[in-house]
Every structure is written in structure tokens, then in C-alpha cells.
């Protein structure tokens, strides 16, 4: 998993609320057993019609095709709990999602896949939509270490994040990777447990 510290990127405004996981990655693409290969199908039914790109969808337009920051409305990631949704988002190249609220399971799955979901007040989301629509190619600086986002025109907002989630993203670790950091302690415990078990027998 790639680490995330700070970067500057274009904001893609997806002006939709209650975006569910079936819209993010439709069910017909869930037959794969790998965690890869889902990026090309992200928002498939919104991006394509009869195999051709819909020119009015934001991710089909320049300069948003590979924007690393997605701006959305409330309750992003609702619906079924499929982890394929953040897999598709991550593989497409989106590292940060800004929204006033997220579905709980989707929110937690983002961290497991190197995505930073940032909860901002509705008024901030409105400001960012306005800026994005007025200035195509509008960019934000994301600073995870200091927990803030800002632009070059004076806008700045801070956000909250649980400390261990922040640490995982900064180090590029999923939950397994974080556990393996304590491999020596785990091995030591298991060795001691085996000795204790033999003594008990």
C-alpha cells in the first residue's frame, strides 16, 4: 500500500449524494478473486453507454480523467459493504475523497486500501464545489501530517482522523502490515505460550 503524506492534486467534482457501492463498482464486475483489475470499471454505468464514454460524466472530461481528489455529497459509499468499491477507487488513482459524510463500512475500508476519506462541513463542501465549477482544474494541497487541506487562494480547512488510521496511511500500512510491525513480540509471545502449555500438560 502506498504511503500518503502530502500532495497537490486536481479536484474532480462529483455532484451526487448517496453514491452507493453498486454505482462505484457494479455487481457484474465482482466475479474476480484478485484485488486488482477493478479500476477500469469504476463508475462504469455512469461513465459508459454501449461501450462508449459519456462525455458529460466528470471523470470522462479533461482535466479530471486522473484527478487524485474526488469531491462528493453526503453519504458517499452507502449500500452493500463490498470492499471492491475502494479497490476500484484506489486502482483508478483516487487517493482522497472529500464529502460531508460517508457510509461507515465504506469509510473504514478506505483506510485499508490507502484512501483518505475526509469529512468536511457542508458549507466547506459547497465552497469547494463552487471553486471547482468556476475553475476547471482547481487544485488542493492535502497535508495528512497536519490534517488540513488548502488551496493557493486562501482557503484552508482542518479535518479529524483517528490517530492509528493516520499512522497507517503515513506509513503505507494496511492492518496486516501494521500487525507485522510487531512480529518479534508476537513470536516471543507464541514461544512463551508453547512453553507454558507444555508445563501445564
Amino acid at each position: 500500500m502506498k504511503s500518503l503524506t502530502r500532495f497537490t492534486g486536481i479536484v474532480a467534482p462529483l455532484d451526487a449524494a448517496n453514491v452507493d457501492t453498486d454505482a462505484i463498482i457494479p455487481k457484474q464486475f465482482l466475479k474476480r478473486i484478485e484485488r486488482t483489475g477493478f479500476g477500469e470499471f469504476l463508475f462504469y454505468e455512469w461513465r459508459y453507454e454501449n461501450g462508449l464514454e459519456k462525455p458529460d460524466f466528470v471523470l470522462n472530461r479533461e482535466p479530471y480523467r486522473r484527478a487524485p481528489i474526488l469531491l462528493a455529497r453526503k453519504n458517499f459509499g452507502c449500500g452493500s459493504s463490498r470492499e471492491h468499491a475502494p479497490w476500484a477507487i484506489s486502482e483508478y488513482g483516487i487517493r482522497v475523497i472529500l464529502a460531508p459524510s460517508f457510509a461507515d463500512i465504506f469509510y473504514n475500508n478506505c483506510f485499508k486500501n490507502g484512501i483518505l476519506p475526509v469529512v468536511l462541513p457542508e458549507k466547506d463542501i459547497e465552497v469547494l464545489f463552487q471553486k471547482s465549477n468556476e475553475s476547471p482544474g482547481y487544485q488542493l494541497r492535502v497535508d495528512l501530517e497536519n490534517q488540513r487541506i488548502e488551496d493557493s487562494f486562501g482557503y484552508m480547512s482542518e479535518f479529524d482522523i483517528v490517530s492509528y488510521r493516520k499512522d497507517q496511511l503515513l506509513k503505507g500500512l494496511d492492518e496486516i502490515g501494521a500487525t507485522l510491525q510487531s512480529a518479534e513480540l508476537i513470536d516471543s509471545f507464541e514461544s512463551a505460550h508453547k512453553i507454558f502449555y507444555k508445563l501445564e500438560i
Side-chain angles (χ1 to χ4, degrees):
M1 194 168 86
K2 293 181 181 178
S3 62
L4 192 157
T5 53
R6 60 172 67 90
F7 73 93
T8 300
I10 291 174
V11 178
L14 179 63
D15 199 352
N18 303 308
V19 176
D20 63 34
T21 52
D22 193 51
I24 296 170
I25 181 71
K27 60 184 178 298
Q28 64 265 33
F29 301 115
L30 306 186
K31 299 174 183 178
R32 305 177 65 92
I33 59 173
E34 306 91 352
R35 293 179 53 164
T36 59
F38 294 98
E40 62 182 304
F41 305 119
L42 178 67
F43 297 121
Y44 188 83
E45 293 177 359
W46 292 0
R47 287 169 61 201
Y48 299 99
E49 185 172 11
N50 298 322
L52 300 175
E53 288 188 349
K54 296 180 181 179
D56 58 338
F57 185 65
V58 61
L59 295 182
N60 289 341
R61 306 197 310 264
E62 296 295 346
Y64 305 116
R65 284 184 178 273
R66 290 298 170 186
I69 303 173
L70 186 68
L71 177 64
R73 300 291 184 179
K74 66 180 180 180
N75 199 30
F76 189 88
C78 58
S80 70
S81 59
R82 64 188 67 162
E83 196 172 357
H84 306 74
W87 291 353
I89 289 170
S90 176
E91 190 169 20
Y92 188 82
I94 294 169
R95 300 300 313 276
V96 176
I97 307 173
L98 310 173
S101 61
F102 294 87
D104 288 343
I105 294 175
F106 175 84
Y107 180 83
N108 289 318
N109 281 340
C110 280
F111 293 105
K112 298 175 183 178
N113 293 280
I115 302 165
L116 173 62
V118 175
V119 176
L120 294 176
E122 290 271 10
K123 62 181 180 62
D124 285 72
I125 294 295
E126 289 294 341
V127 167
L128 294 176
F129 267 108
Q130 183 177 349
K131 287 175 174 285
S132 298
N133 291 327
E134 290 177 352
S135 304
Y138 172 72
Q139 297 190 3
L140 281 172
R141 287 189 295 274
V142 179
D143 184 346
L144 177 57
E145 287 184 312
N146 294 299
Q147 296 177 213
R148 66 174 179 243
I149 60 171
E150 56 189 341
D151 64 16
S152 299
F153 310 103
Y155 172 83
M156 193 276 286
S157 182
E158 296 180 337
F159 59 88
D160 294 326
I161 181 173
V162 175
S163 58
Y164 83 93
R165 293 292 196 196
K166 176 181 177 179
D167 189 59
Q168 283 181 317
L169 285 176
L170 288 172
K171 294 178 179 177
L173 298 171
D174 58 15
E175 292 179 335
I176 294 174
T179 300
L180 290 176
Q181 284 196 310
S182 302
E184 289 186 9
L185 289 174
I186 294 170
D187 289 342
S188 177
F189 172 82
E190 289 182 341
S191 296
H193 179 73
K194 288 178 182 177
I195 293 172
F196 176 80
Y197 181 73
K198 289 179 179 178
L199 289 175
E200 283 290 299
I201 291 176

